[in-house]
Amino acid sequence: MLSVVVFLPLLAGLVLLALPRPRDEAVAWTWVAVAALDLALVVGLWAYYPFASGTRGAMTGPLAYEERVLWIPNVGASYHVGVDGLSLPLLAMTAVLFLACAVHSLRQRRRARAHAVLFLFLQTVSLGLFSALDLLLFFVFFDLSIVGMYFVIAGWGHGRAARSALQFFLYTFLGSLALLLGFIGLYVASEPRTFDMVELADQTPLEGSGLAGGLVLLAIGIGLAVKTPTVPFHTWLPPAHTDAPAVGSAILAGVLLKMGTYGFVRIAMPILPGVWGQYAMVAVVVGVASVLYGALVALAQTDFKRMVAYTSVNHMGYILLGLGAAGLATGAQSGAASLTVTGAVTQMVSHGLLTGALFLIAGALHDRGDTYDMGSYGGLAARAPRFAALAAVAFFGSLGLPGLSGFVAEFQIFAGSLGPVPVATALALLGILVTAALFLRALQRLFLGGPGPRTGRVGDLSVRETAAIVPLLALAVLIGLMPHFLLGRIEPAARALAALVAG
């Protein structure tokens, strides 16, 4: 069942490529239908999850929907997939975002077939990575995501798209090489040698190894930090987002960035728990720096899309702060560690939904006014009330207003981090104030006040755009008001991981 969920989009993409000359409209609706079917299958996985537990791994507790087939036997690599409470929410978020992008692209007429096939390929790659339980399989999906997004930015972007795509590719590919070096280090240290994550978490091969463990964690950490991205590895992100098409930015921010943060909770923490605890303060410092730097630089932006891109650096910093604090928690603070891990995974889901919606809103703005410059607009609330209302919900969710998903995530991270790292948590709280200032200023510039030179060109959101954005924001509101359906999936796995690291 899990393999069907992972490879269904790729199979549909291959079928589209095999058709002689399909009409653009037929291609678009096929993409929507496949994305909707895949989401329905993921909902089935979610509903049946409590009854589908299989083996128990040291990394997170029970795994479900597990499949394992030997792939490269002489190096101990296998096609090993499965889900738990850390990966299932990200699978669901991925399916929701790709369906939203499919709906948003219904009027895509510029190389429509290639566009749809690329996104179907990216969907398989993303679902595969969040399901992977083998380091080599994880790395293959990790690298393929770079290739797919490179062609999306270069082929359908605007501005300096080719340059931004190349910069994105070189930065993230270099990071993936560091990641591969770390994976090889884990393989060499294991006995018997294996790339299997569950077996490596049982062995914890580099515990007490001193320098060797630190170097392997450094290689893995750099590879994941580039993808996340955190300060100072973030410089590829703003140009890539600014020049990417709207749906490309939504997937890049909503899904691909989570590959980095997910790698920390799936690989670095459970396989190197002692080493993670030893160097967790580095993660805390980098997280706080990302929170403050991302918020302050976003505050200085006049380009709406670039501003949203820098807020991603800010929000990823909260996740790293929480994971670092979990590593510094003592055995008596395992409850706080569990809270921060739960908050970090919730933040991944919340950021994916809210920032995905913001980038689709930014794309709608650019389609009408042909610029992201906030000074060119003003008074849009009178001309486009639906546009203004949805943007306001996304803004307030991103700044952590109670009743929306951002508050649930950030509250758990701060509450759990306050005990292990009180000073760092207090500094990170300042990021919320700056984030509130930048989003309220953007709201005032775009939707209130007098009209700007391009206000007359902006009409309200179409039915297609509304249908793509509203479900993302509705889920953010649902998580904010009734988070138990999400937290109930995350908490058991977060407790197991926190106990492993805090122990």
Side-chain angles (χ1 to χ4, degrees):
M1 181 64 173
L2 187 56
S3 292
V4 171
V5 169
V6 170
F7 291 104
L8 175 63
L10 179 61
L11 179 62
L14 294 175
V15 170
L16 283 177
L17 283 178
L19 295 176
R21 282 193 175 181
R23 295 172 51 202
D24 291 346
E25 188 175 335
V27 168
W29 281 107
T30 300
W31 179 15
V32 170
V34 171
L37 177 58
D38 216 38
L39 176 58
L41 293 174
V42 172
V43 170
L45 295 181
W46 185 287
Y48 192 66
Y49 175 71
F51 314 104
S53 296
T55 63
R56 184 174 183 84
M59 58 167 76
T60 56
L63 295 164
Y65 310 111
E66 205 174 355
E67 302 170 35
R68 186 172 184 180
V69 179
L70 281 177
W71 176 28
I72 312 176
N74 59 334
V75 297
S78 60
Y79 170 76
H80 188 187
V81 293
V83 297
D84 64 358
L86 303 180
S87 54
L88 185 58
L90 295 175
L91 248 69
M93 180 204 70
T94 299
V96 169
L97 271 172
F98 273 98
L99 177 56
C101 290
V103 172
H104 194 273
S105 302
L106 276 172
R107 293 187 61 188
Q108 174 64 246
R109 296 296 180 264
R110 181 182 168 196
R111 300 194 301 278
R113 176 163 61 171
H115 184 264
V117 168
L118 261 179
F119 276 89
L120 289 167
F121 168 77
L122 275 172
Q123 185 168 355
T124 282
V125 166
S126 303
L127 294 169
L129 183 137
F130 293 133
S131 306
L133 294 174
D134 183 275
L135 292 179
L136 212 53
L137 186 65
F138 182 98
F139 177 77
V140 168
F141 286 129
F142 191 91
D143 256 15
L144 289 176
S145 71
I146 300 171
V147 175
M149 187 51 65
Y150 167 80
F151 285 111
V152 168
I153 298 172
W156 288 268
H158 43 258
R160 304 172 72 181
R163 178 186 175 88
S164 296
L166 182 62
Q167 185 178 1
F168 159 78
F169 183 87
L170 292 177
Y171 260 84
T172 50
F173 187 69
L174 186 62
S176 75
L177 294 180
L179 187 67
L180 180 60
L181 188 64
F183 287 174
I184 293 172
L186 289 174
Y187 171 77
V188 171
S190 61
E191 187 60 47
R193 291 185 174 177
T194 180
F195 283 105
D196 191 85
M197 295 182 196
V198 178
E199 293 179 13
L200 288 168
D202 287 334
Q203 292 184 27
T204 56
L206 288 167
E207 289 300 282
S209 60
L211 181 62
L215 290 176
V216 168
L217 180 61
L218 177 65
I220 293 173
I222 289 175
L224 297 176
V226 171
K227 189 79 165 183
T228 297
T230 63
V231 172
F233 305 107
H234 67 285
T235 52
W236 62 266
L237 183 70
H241 271 311
T242 304
D243 296 333
V247 287
S249 290
I251 296 302
L252 178 58
V255 179
L256 267 60
L257 300 193
K258 308 309 176 302
M259 294 178 178
T261 51
Y262 175 74
F264 285 111
V265 298
R266 174 57 75 220
I267 299 169
M269 294 176 71
I271 297 177
L272 298 166
V275 184
W276 179 263
Q278 186 179 353
Y279 293 99
M281 184 52 75
V282 176
V284 169
V285 171
V286 172
V288 173
S290 299
V291 165
L292 297 177
Y293 178 86
L296 290 171
V297 177
L299 183 64
Q301 302 303 310
T302 58
D303 183 295
F304 178 57
K305 203 177 187 190
R306 200 173 183 88
M307 181 199 77
V308 176
Y310 275 110
T311 63
S312 291
V313 178
N314 165 266
H315 286 97
M316 295 300 100
Y318 292 127
I319 296 173
L320 210 56
L321 166 65
L323 298 180
L328 292 169
T330 62
Q333 295 173 319
S334 62
S338 172
L339 194 59
T340 61
V341 174
T342 303
V345 178
T346 307
Q347 176 76 329
M348 294 182 210
V349 175
S350 171
H351 177 266
L353 296 172
L354 291 168
T355 306
L358 280 171
F359 278 120
L360 295 181
I361 288 169
L365 188 68
H366 187 272
D367 288 344
R368 290 155 173 77
D370 204 31
T371 181
Y372 297 116
D373 177 43
M374 289 187 282
S376 300
Y377 304 100
L380 293 181
R383 292 185 56 86
R386 190 162 58 242
F387 200 142
L390 294 181
V393 173
F395 286 170
F396 289 130
S398 294
L399 63 84
L401 191 74
L404 293 161
S405 58
F407 174 78
V408 175
E410 290 168 14
F411 177 80
Q412 292 180 100
I413 291 172
F414 290 134
S417 301
L418 195 57
V421 283
V423 175
T425 306
L427 290 173
L429 278 166
L430 298 175
I432 292 183
L433 297 177
V434 181
T435 305
L438 70 92
F439 277 119
L440 291 174
R441 189 185 70 160
L443 190 68
Q444 195 279 331
R445 281 187 171 187
L446 290 171
F447 299 105
L448 306 176
R454 303 208 178 192
T455 300
R457 298 170 61 174
V458 179
D460 216 342
L461 294 176
S462 66
V463 173
R464 167 184 57 87
E465 292 165 333
T466 305
I469 296 167
V470 165
L472 303 179
L473 299 180
L475 282 171
V477 173
L478 183 62
I479 294 170
L481 296 177
M482 295 181 289
H484 181 69
F485 81 95
L486 175 62
L487 302 184
R489 294 288 184 268
I490 299 172
E491 282 173 351
R495 277 197 302 269
L497 179 59
L500 182 67
V501 175

